[in-house]
Amino acid sequence: MAMQKPELLPEDVCPCLRTKTMLLNTEYRRSAFEDAFTADTAFFHCLKTMAYHGPDGDDVCPDGCRPGRACYPQPDEVT
Amino acid sequence: MPKEIQIKVGFGDQFRDLTVRIQDDDVKPWQPGDRLNLIGQSTPRVDAVAKVTGTANYSYDQKPKGMIYGKILRSPHGNADIVSIDIDKAKKLPGVRAILTAPEIFEDESARYAGAEVAAVAADTEMQAEAALRAIEVEYDIKPHCVTVEDARKEGAPQVGRGEQVNVARISPRQRRGRRGSNSDMDERLARQEAAVGKVIQDSDVVVEGEFSTQVQTHAPLETHGSVCSWEDGRLICWASSQATFGFRNELTSNWGGVRAKSCQILSEYVGGGFGSKFSAGREGVLGALLAKEAGVPVHLMLDRSGEQLSAGNRPDSLQQMKMGVNKDGVIQGTRIRSWGTPGTGTGGAGAHNDGIYNIGEVDKIEYGVRTNTGGAKAHRAPGWPQGAFALEQMMDMAADEIGMDRVEFRKKNDEHPIRKVEYDIAKDRIKWNRSLTRNGGAEICQGLGIASNLWFSAGGGGASALVRITKDGQVEVRNGAQDIGTGTRTVMGMVVAEELGLEMNQVATRIGNTDDPQGPASGGSTTIGTVTPAARLAAFHAKKELMEIVADRKGWDASELDLKDQEVWRIGEGSTGMTFESACALMDDDAIEVLKGRPRRNYEGFSDTNAGVQAAHVEVNQATGAVKVLKVVAVADAGKILNPLTSESQVRGGVIQGVSFALFERRIMDRQKGRMLNDDFENYKMLGSMDCPEIDVVLLDVYNGKSNTQVMGLGEPPIVATAAAVANAVSDALGVRMYDLPITPKKVLEAIAKRDAAKEVPAQKKGERL
């Protein structure tokens, strides 16, 4: 079954990226989430490894989990 | 269309009128002088009896028919790659129903810390599952490891990560993707900032500096992470120990298990603590669901205490270097901060909030994450704040002492928060700040006082809904799918609905912790009550409106003149009509009124965007043994409107207890040679016990902040921010020597005393130098 991409994630961020702020129904949801990109206390994990590194072994982070990375899902893997 | 209303905001004797724009169907926030029956009254938790009598069913307690047990095999090595896993022998053992391996499930062949998941087994009994784990043969490629920040920062230290990953990386400030400028621009900006702030500090009247460290603290919830999973006709039912029922479901249905959200139900009726570590399903959650699917029967996979301590999360440690320039009038001119911390095998998330709360002048701050071969950190109750506050508040005392100003007055001088300015005086009064004590190490048993502050900033947000149902026979229930991790959500949601409908508490049933019910928030950022109660109140208000229209229609009254109070229908401004709530409900043609309302999405302008808080500690130190006893903590807190003083007080007490535990006891101990955690149990991981607990004097300020229809601000996290800092300041006050490292163990106290006494022989100690 194809992976579901959360609405909140910016278009080119990997759909496997997860962080706490995505779960909080704060009134500024999108901007709060984007602030988490640079927050010094934000943790990011990968839905495939359920760890702080991706299947390629490198860190999970909003800047790094972008198209071009070896483990970035193919379009047909995502709905 | 929003509508404009006039409200009063403020607290104590500080009120002002404010015009706010609210959602057109929203209810006006409660106002000073409103006649409220339940709101503001101390009300015991509706589930208190169930919890203390053991009848509350936690995820751990679930036993669906046919349930078997899941266990996880963990790597014993500090740093390794998994070469191969042979499960043939294990598969043939009695009772074994399913075996999964981490490389196969998680596309990950690395085991980067001792405790990393390698495989999982489901078997008929726990003993059979453990026997199967022992029969799994794993070949590891063992690598050198680093398990402390000190080791990982050394030149030539073994590589913790893989590929090009370095051990130390700057995590803040970080160039944000899509913004103008490059990383080299950032480096230049930081260099300019360092020079400019350095000059500000140098030009100040007084300079103080120090290096502070805090330890890794595990979350240690009483109920460990995990779930009981059952597949029924393609539908996954999962009793999860979670602080984010909908987040847990999102993770399971986004990539795992082959189910959509509508075919997956997460149940978290009772949760035995989370403290920030239970947002994600985690590997254990995924493995539980997949083992149950493969075994074809329900699987109980809850972590054992060792697994919990090793892998389920922790508060990162910190090493904080601070330098502050202060003028003799008490105004802080500038502060330089460098910090390091380890979040485990990654680098992000280990920041320390040591530049919040006060105005600390021009700031030059850089933070680094240090990769170590240790279990991953997670958000831990007020992430980054207790460790940051510890360093900052030591610096505040050091600076105040250096310029000869009272420590509280110095804080006031550098603090603009309107609520905290009042809270300082309350804390001073309650702790008897100006009392005479045997301090400065003047006797074997000496005492001291310390003070520290906290800050928080959440009023809840949109995205949650509540369903209120009133039946023809007068039954009322309110539903929301969020969990209650100790916040008192179940109780307070019921209070809000009962208040709006003019009922008693026992006339409203509250249903929570079920993703089949309306969307609820994760319990994070201290947002749960502030998010769900405005939705619950709005739904109750509109359900009442519908009921009043039915009554008005049947009786020929004007619905806009009717209200519910004291379990009866009232005419506004006149009093009771004599019609009971049950009689009104009996007039319905249909079986029930059901109203589903989302939380108004925008928070309104209010009194203050942040809530404050001040804590003062009174300690006793035995200079012969080094033992510290916290005698009393005064915790002055505000969190907008206090809906239930009893559950609010409970939140504050919980924060203080966890804070004292952080100050004196808790710490992860790593074996640097073997790369393993040594105290992955509750026997050797010391936490505060009942005999260690101080008197806790909680003072709650009721603030009409106007930011939502219930005016709630967050309270789960702020009370832990100041505690360790206040305790450490009190210990330093008692001994006459600064404490730079947490936890404050007897050994550290004795070492500090020895250094103090040795320093007394040095007549001209340099200003600000560490003793």
Side-chain angles (χ1 to χ4, degrees), chain B residues 45 47 51 242 268-273 482-491 512-513 523 528:
Chain B
R45 290 169 194 262
D47 48 12
K51 284 184 170 178
S242 170
S268 301
E269 196 182 356
Y270 292 98
V271 183
Q483 59 296 315
D484 183 346
I485 61 165
T487 49
T489 309
R490 180 184 272 115
T491 305
I512 60 166
S523 291
T528 313

Side-chain angles (χ1 to χ4, degrees), chain B residues 170 175-176 179-189:
Chain B
R170 191 180 74 212
Q175 187 70 35
R176 190 163 168 173
R179 295 284 170 91
R180 278 186 226 166
S182 64
N183 280 323
S184 59
D185 293 335
M186 172 69 84
D187 291 340
E188 284 174 24
R189 185 172 72 77

